[in-house]
Amino acid sequence: MTEASIITAIMVGLIGIGIALTHWVLRKRTGHGFHWAMWLLLVAMVAGVVYYADYRVESRREQLVRQISGLAPTLARETERLGHEHLGYLPEQDDPIYLEIIEAQKRWVDINPDVIADVYTFYIDDNNEAALIVDSETDYDHNGLYEGDREARTDPGETWGEAEESEHDAMNGMVAVFDEPYEDRWGYWVSAYEPLRNQDGEIYAVLGIDFPANLWVSQLRESRIEALVTGCLPIFMLVVAVVLVQLVNHTNESLRRARDDAETANYTKSAFLANMSHEIRTPLTAILGYAEILNDEESCEILNDDRANDPRNAEIVRRCQALNTIQVAGQHLLTVINDILDLSKIEAGKMSIEQVETPLAAILRDVENLMRPRAAGKGVHLATEIQSPIPDRILSDPTRLRQILMNLLGNAIKFTEDGKITICVSVESLDDQSTNTKKSNAGTHDKPARLIVDITDTGVGMSEDQADNLFKPFSQADATVTRKHGGTGLGLAISRRFAALMGGDVLLARTQLNEGSCFRIVLPCSPMQGANMVTKLQPHERPTPQASATQSQNDDASSAASSERVLQGHILLAEDGMDNQRLISFHLKRAGATVDLADNGLIALDMIEQAIADGHPYDMLVTDMQMPEMDGYTLATTLRQRGSTMPIIALTAHSMADDRQKCLDAGCDDYASKPINKRALLTTCATWINQPSQRAAS
């Protein structure tokens, strides 16, 4: 096997190993190898590389042959000019022509050291052997010296073996190159031959040029390796590209599966929380609702006056206190549920923040009015101070702003046993304005404004270590706080995250153990067009409707009664829970409505169709959204598809914004959250009863 074949075999073997390794990697990573078309392409490319390597070697060989054979005619003509034909076949070594030709040979070697190793003349004798005529000293090692028999001058007439075909070709008048390396006593050569002619044009001898075979072979080897490397580069790049594409696809597939798994887990979590919310809120509706009914029937307003101290009312007081405990505990459980759902929505990235007109001054006033009774019950003074003019209306999220204020103020009251709590409100970075100015223009403020609300208390305060855990979910200052004051530790964490979603923050401004704390709310403040600048809150204002919804259910009975609306009409209540059927129908009937009951949506649909057929259609449908057989969403959608214009009020225990929107999208006109707020339910029903639905299918 030739050296070229060995090199080619090695390179092809390496390519094969690389392909096999790639195939193994792909099977390991992706579970399958190359497509058959890819294998065919690789085989074709490998064959092309081998062919390209052979082509490059052959091209280099031809180049070297031309280079050697190109020198031979020139040197032969020069040798003829020097009178070589007059020397004969056995010249005298002191012949001037002989010596001149030797010097010329040495000069030619010195001029072309990288191409010519030796120049000589010879003829083929009668024994078919090549015999030397002129062979000069040769400095093979290029050290300037002619040392040893190998580099010494060779005597005329010395032979070196049977003449080769190429040497005969030269004697026959052809420029011949013997390009298969051969070895003699002088070295390892590749030779070129040029015929020498006398004055009559007859060939009488041959000029030979020896080229170092090692250099010849190395150049051919370099050409082959260069060709193989150049040819293998596209294969390598193709293999790398395929591997990278496969790995990227595998990575993308893994990421897709991970994303799908995360979305599935997130959906499962949301569905679980929604279902748990429904399962907890539904019985909580019955607990709080019946407690409210009993509270009204027991005339528990006596707890708020001197009659509570009359021994004759002791039994009534005991029952009323028990009812009050049930209501307070139920409201606390409801708060915990709402906090957990809010935190879940925030962590899932599904909590949406509104940017709508927000009555800032009214919210501050409402929160103070709502929380003052709790503070007063502990002997704590609560006051709001406007430290700089503030716009009465800003662009923000009123629900989240109110929730943040209620959470922080509720914490301040919880941890303050005596002293005072102050709500300090200011706006920073607004243009200076006179306190007498009544109007502001949102477009006149070049700098962004910040709303700053500091809630300062004289409560227990905190140590530095306790403050570190404040804003972590389910964390409080320490276990003692939980045992003494209760709570889940979610309020501050949720408030801070709400503030962050609104573009602000909630932070602990300062605290000192046993002296009190100050929590700061920082939010963007964009006054609405034409907002009034206010410097104080008007006292004794009634809370806004949104604030009223947050009041506890145990307000005095007279206030509750005054808020009820009289209902006149025929209402169908679709509710699968017997306790809630009795509770909700009790409130609706007590308000004046006629109520029929359906245990699920399918029964409700049949009753509605039958009522229409009898000529006495229902004036309103109040439906729970989660029921067996047919849920409220399907019921509402089906009615709208059939052209019904009957008002539909949804009862949902989910209480999340997207769940409420889902009710409206299904065709409901309005909704009420569980646990049922009696006044809110009756107000909503009174608003829509006998009114054609705005969501009826066109």
Side-chain angles (χ1 to χ4, degrees):
M1 181 181 287
T2 64
E3 183 179 10
S5 300
I6 294 174
I7 293 174
T8 301
I10 292 174
M11 294 301 295
V12 172
L14 291 175
I15 294 173
I17 292 173
I19 294 174
L21 181 61
T22 303
H23 180 67
W24 179 81
V25 170
L26 291 177
R27 292 186 66 87
K28 194 75 172 177
R29 291 278 187 176
T30 64
H32 56 81
F34 284 163
H35 190 269
W36 61 267
M38 187 60 67
W39 282 114
L40 290 178
L41 177 60
L42 282 174
V43 170
M45 292 183 71
V46 170
V49 168
V50 175
Y51 174 80
Y52 176 66
D54 290 340
Y55 168 78
R56 286 291 301 272
V57 169
E58 187 60 30
S59 297
R60 181 57 177 160
R61 185 193 302 276
E62 292 176 358
Q63 182 182 4
L64 292 173
V65 168
R66 286 194 302 271
Q67 186 176 4
I68 297 174
S69 61
L71 286 173
T74 302
L75 301 184
R77 302 293 83 79
E78 181 66 14
T79 300
E80 291 171 351
R81 188 186 64 77
L82 293 174
H84 185 277
E85 66 175 300
H86 301 298
L87 292 177
Y89 290 136
L90 294 172
E92 297 293 333
Q93 296 192 28
D94 58 354
D95 188 316
I97 296 176
Y98 177 82
L99 295 176
E100 186 176 4
I101 291 175
I102 284 179
E103 291 302 319
Q105 290 177 347
K106 292 166 62 177
R107 185 172 62 253
W108 296 334
V109 172
D110 291 339
I111 293 174
N112 302 281
D114 296 331
V115 179
I116 302 175
D118 195 7
V119 181
Y120 51 92
T121 61
F122 67 93
Y123 71 99
I124 299 177
D125 63 15
D126 294 337
N127 296 322
N128 194 34
E129 290 185 332
L132 287 171
I133 301 175
V134 179
D135 182 28
S136 67
E137 301 94 335
T138 305
D139 185 13
Y140 290 120
D141 54 11
H142 302 289
N143 63 357
L145 301 175
Y146 301 96
E147 301 173 321
D149 292 339
R150 182 169 178 266
E151 293 188 352
R153 185 185 305 176
T154 306
D155 293 334
E158 183 171 340
T159 62
W160 67 80
E162 185 178 353
E164 299 288 344
E165 181 181 356
S166 57
E167 295 168 337
H168 281 289
D169 289 341
M171 288 297 295
N172 292 327
M174 299 171 57
V175 178
V177 176
F178 189 63
D179 58 358
E180 288 297 329
Y182 69 93
E183 189 173 7
D184 58 21
R185 71 184 182 87
W186 291 283
Y188 189 45
W189 315 111
V190 171
S191 300
Y193 305 114
E194 173 69 21
L196 294 174
R197 301 175 187 271
N198 59 23
Q199 291 181 353
D200 296 330
E202 298 174 347
I203 299 173
Y204 68 92
V206 176
L207 178 117
I209 299 176
D210 286 345
F211 185 86
N214 290 333
L215 184 60
W216 173 280
V217 171
S218 66
Q219 291 199 25
L220 294 182
R221 182 192 302 116
E222 289 174 1
S223 295
R224 184 175 296 277
I225 292 174
E226 179 183 353
L228 289 173
V229 170
T230 303
C232 289
L233 184 60
I235 297 179
F236 174 76
M237 294 177 65
L238 175 63
V239 171
V240 170
V242 171
V243 171
L244 290 177
V245 168
Q246 293 287 348
L247 292 179
V248 168
N249 289 339
H250 174 69
T251 302
N252 288 340
E253 179 65 19
S254 298
L255 291 175
R256 186 192 64 78
R257 286 197 299 266
R259 183 196 61 202
D260 292 344
D261 291 344
E263 290 178 351
T264 300
N266 188 48
Y267 173 80
T268 303
K269 174 184 174 183
S270 298
F272 172 77
L273 289 173
N275 289 332
M276 286 301 98
S277 172
H278 178 271
E279 295 302 321
I280 295 174
R281 285 171 177 269
T282 298
L284 197 56
T285 297
I287 294 171
L288 293 177
Y290 283 112
E292 183 180 21
I293 292 174
L294 292 175
N295 198 326
D296 292 343
E297 293 177 350
E298 291 287 351
S299 300
C300 289
E301 68 273 7
I302 68 171
L303 293 177
N304 300 321
D305 55 39
D306 294 337
R307 288 178 294 172
N309 299 322
D310 190 339
R312 291 172 297 179
N313 296 328
E315 183 62 23
I316 297 177
V317 169
R318 184 184 65 78
R319 289 197 299 269
C320 289
Q321 288 175 339
L323 290 172
N324 185 64
T325 300
I326 293 173
Q327 289 180 296
V328 170
Q331 288 295 334
H332 175 70
L333 179 58
L334 182 60
T335 300
V336 172
I337 295 170
N338 290 336
D339 285 348
I340 293 175
L341 291 176
D342 283 342
L343 183 63
S344 173
K345 297 292 282 187
I346 294 173
E347 291 179 343
K350 294 185 177 180
M351 179 62 71
S352 59
I353 296 296
E354 295 182 310
Q355 286 293 314
V356 298
E357 181 175 328
T358 300
L360 175 59
I363 289 176
L364 291 170
R365 183 175 57 239
D366 293 344
V367 170
E368 179 186 351
N369 290 339
L370 288 171
M371 302 304 286
R372 182 179 289 109
R374 287 180 54 187
K378 300 181 67 174
V380 176
H381 177 69
L382 175 63
T384 300
E385 298 178 2
I386 307 298
Q387 296 183 327
S388 66
I390 63 172
D392 65 343
R393 292 176 291 116
I394 63 173
L395 186 67
S396 187
D397 188 322
T399 302
R400 303 309 170 197
L401 174 58
R402 179 179 289 103
Q403 191 169 351
I404 293 172
L405 289 169
M406 294 287 287
N407 279 341
L408 296 185
L409 195 52
N411 277 350
I413 295 173
K414 180 192 298 185
F415 295 107
T416 303
E417 298 300 330
D418 55 47
K420 64 178 181 178
I421 298 174
T422 306
I423 307 172
C424 298
V425 188
S426 62
V427 173
E428 289 185 354
S429 300
L430 282 173
D431 293 338
D432 292 335
Q433 302 181 46
S434 170
T435 56
N436 294 326
T437 303
K438 295 298 182 183
K439 298 288 181 181
S440 71
N441 190 322
T444 64
H445 302 299
D446 296 327
K447 298 180 180 180
R450 299 193 311 164
L451 174 67
I452 309 294
V453 181
D454 286 344
I455 299 178
T456 306
D457 63 63
T458 58
V460 296
M462 285 170 286
S463 67
E464 194 171 316
D465 292 338
Q466 291 173 333
D468 290 340
N469 294 322
L470 269 185
F471 294 98
K472 297 178 181 178
F474 304 103
S475 296
Q476 291 187 336
D478 57 32
T480 305
V481 172
T482 304
R483 289 195 301 268
K484 182 177 180 180
H485 299 280
T488 62
L490 290 174
L492 286 176
I494 292 174
S495 297
R496 167 170 275 187
R497 298 193 188 192
F498 279 155
L501 292 173
M502 296 166 67
D505 197 6
V506 171
L507 49 92
L508 177 63
R510 59 186 178 275
T511 186
Q512 187 171 349
L513 192 61
N514 300 322
E515 300 241 346
S517 303
C518 175
F519 285 87
R520 174 167 295 173
I521 305 169
V522 182
L523 295 173
C525 182
S526 300
M528 298 299 297
Q529 185 78 21
N532 293 322
M533 302 302 294
V534 298
T535 57
K536 63 179 180 178
L537 300 180
Q538 298 297 324
H540 308 304
E541 293 284 344
R542 292 186 58 82
T544 62
Q546 284 180 304
S548 298
T550 65
Q551 286 182 285
S552 60
Q553 301 262 354
N554 60 343
D555 286 338
D556 58 4
S558 60
S559 175
S562 64
S563 65
E564 294 182 10
R565 302 283 296 273
V566 176
L567 298 179
Q568 292 184 352
H570 195 185
I571 298 176
L572 175 61
L573 172 62
E575 166 65 59
D576 60 318
M578 297 299 295
D579 293 334
N580 286 328
Q581 279 186 358
R582 288 193 293 266
L583 174 64
I584 298 171
S585 63
F586 173 82
H587 290 315
L588 296 176
K589 291 176 181 178
R590 191 174 183 181
T594 302
V595 181
D596 289 339
L597 301 177
D599 292 337
N600 58 57
L602 193 59
I603 295 175
L605 186 61
D606 291 339
M607 293 177 66
I608 292 171
E609 292 180 344
Q610 186 61 47
I612 294 174
D614 293 341
H616 302 289
Y618 289 104
D619 299 308
M620 174 178 286
L621 169 65
V622 178
T623 177
D624 186 21
M625 302 310 288
Q626 283 193 311
M627 296 180 293
E629 301 295 335
M630 178 185 288
D631 59 25
Y633 302 106
T634 306
L635 174 59
T637 301
T638 302
L639 289 173
R640 296 309 182 212
Q641 290 174 346
R642 296 182 180 183
S644 174
T645 60
M646 176 178 57
I648 302 175
I649 306 301
L651 300 178
T652 174
H654 293 167
S655 79
M656 298 182 182
D658 52 351
D659 295 316
R660 295 173 179 175
Q661 186 60 45
K662 184 179 177 182
C663 297
L664 300 180
D665 293 341
C668 299
D669 296 282
D670 212 332
Y671 56 85
S673 296
K674 293 181 180 180
I676 296 299
N677 183 310
K678 178 181 66 176
R679 284 173 293 166
L681 173 64
L682 297 180
T683 299
T684 301
C685 291
T687 300
W688 289 100
I689 198 166
N690 297 320
Q691 297 292 328
S693 172
Q694 298 179 359
R695 297 181 178 270
S698 57

